[in-house]
Amino acid sequence: TYAEALWAYQGGSVYLVPDAAVAQEDIIDIPMQQIFGGSVQLMTELAQDIPSSVTLTYNSDASDGLAGEPVFVSKEEATASSPYLNSSLTLMGVYRRAEAQRRAEQRLARLQIGGRVSFQMFDTGSLLKIGDVIRFPDRYGIGGMLLRVMAQPELVNLGVYQIRTEVYDESIYSPSEGVGAVVIPKGGVVSWLGQGAIPRGVTKLS
């Protein structure tokens, strides 16, 4: 199995970054007065550098280790401004085609975003953690944009922290029709923790 995580480099260290949708109540609003003036930098990928398709090779048979037919997903036909570019990966820890399909679609959707924002914050920036999703204040032309923190806040001056993020888009975590993020075998028993309603199709056991 594979963790739902990204990785990020910072100095000589590699960090795992949680890669999952975040509840609205867990999104952190950043006050404008906490951003160090003139420190905001926006970076994007060139259109010709963004893959338009993904090929994912997975393990179709856990008993003999044979790789099945790869999953292929594509955005659209290549154009002069957006030429064909394929991203290939092999995940031999994936055994179900439904999971391979979901991972390929999610990877393709993520690759389309490609936006990063770097800025500096005052003291409260030290409280942010890798994987946090923040809402940028309404300024600099990116008001309300959601960003995921991709590195530990770095002290760059007395009371000033460097924050490195990438654009967060909840829609990339939506599975395709008929492809669930988690598949529970019929008759399977799981623990349910939380105050919300029991998911549809699940029966409570006493």
Side-chain angles (χ1 to χ4, degrees), residues 10 39-41 43 117-122 125 128 149 151-157 160-165:
Q10 187 172 7
S39 67
V40 179
Q41 295 182 324
M43 294 152 282
V117 180
S118 176
F119 60 96
Q120 294 176 359
M121 285 184 64
F122 293 111
L128 296 177
V149 178
Q152 290 284 75
E154 180 183 359
L155 183 65
V156 293
N157 210 331
V160 179
Y161 292 82
Q162 184 72 40
I163 311 298
R164 295 178 174 85
T165 70

Side-chain angles (χ1 to χ4, degrees), residues 109-181:
R110 171 179 298 289
L111 291 172
Q112 306 313 301
I113 299 175
R116 296 184 299 278
V117 180
S118 176
F119 60 96
Q120 294 176 359
M121 285 184 64
F122 293 111
D123 290 332
T124 56
S126 65
L127 302 177
L128 296 177
K129 303 183 296 296
I130 289 180
D132 281 346
V133 174
I134 62 176
R135 182 180 288 108
F136 207 78
D138 189 11
R139 195 168 175 181
Y140 302 109
I142 55 175
M145 178 181 286
L146 298 181
L147 306 168
R148 189 187 292 277
V149 178
M150 296 296 293
Q152 290 284 75
E154 180 183 359
L155 183 65
V156 293
N157 210 331
L158 184 63
V160 179
Y161 292 82
Q162 184 72 40
I163 311 298
R164 295 178 174 85
T165 70
E166 72 171 23
V167 175
Y168 167 84
D169 186 347
E170 186 181 33
S171 68
I172 72 172
Y173 301 104
S174 300
S176 61
E177 186 68 19
V179 180

Side-chain angles (χ1 to χ4, degrees), residues 70-94:
V71 167
F72 176 81
V73 295
S74 61
K75 181 183 64 172
E76 57 190 17
E77 291 186 4
T79 63
S81 60
S82 180
Y84 176 79
L85 182 62
N86 184 68
S87 172
S88 299
L89 71 158
T90 299
L91 298 178
M92 298 309 290
V94 173

Side-chain angles (χ1 to χ4, degrees), residues 8-32:
Y9 298 95
Q10 187 172 7
S13 302
V14 179
Y15 293 90
L16 285 180
V17 183
D19 184 26
V22 174
Q24 288 296 314
E25 59 268 24
D26 293 331
I27 295 175
I28 302 170
D29 286 293
I30 303 298
M32 186 65 238

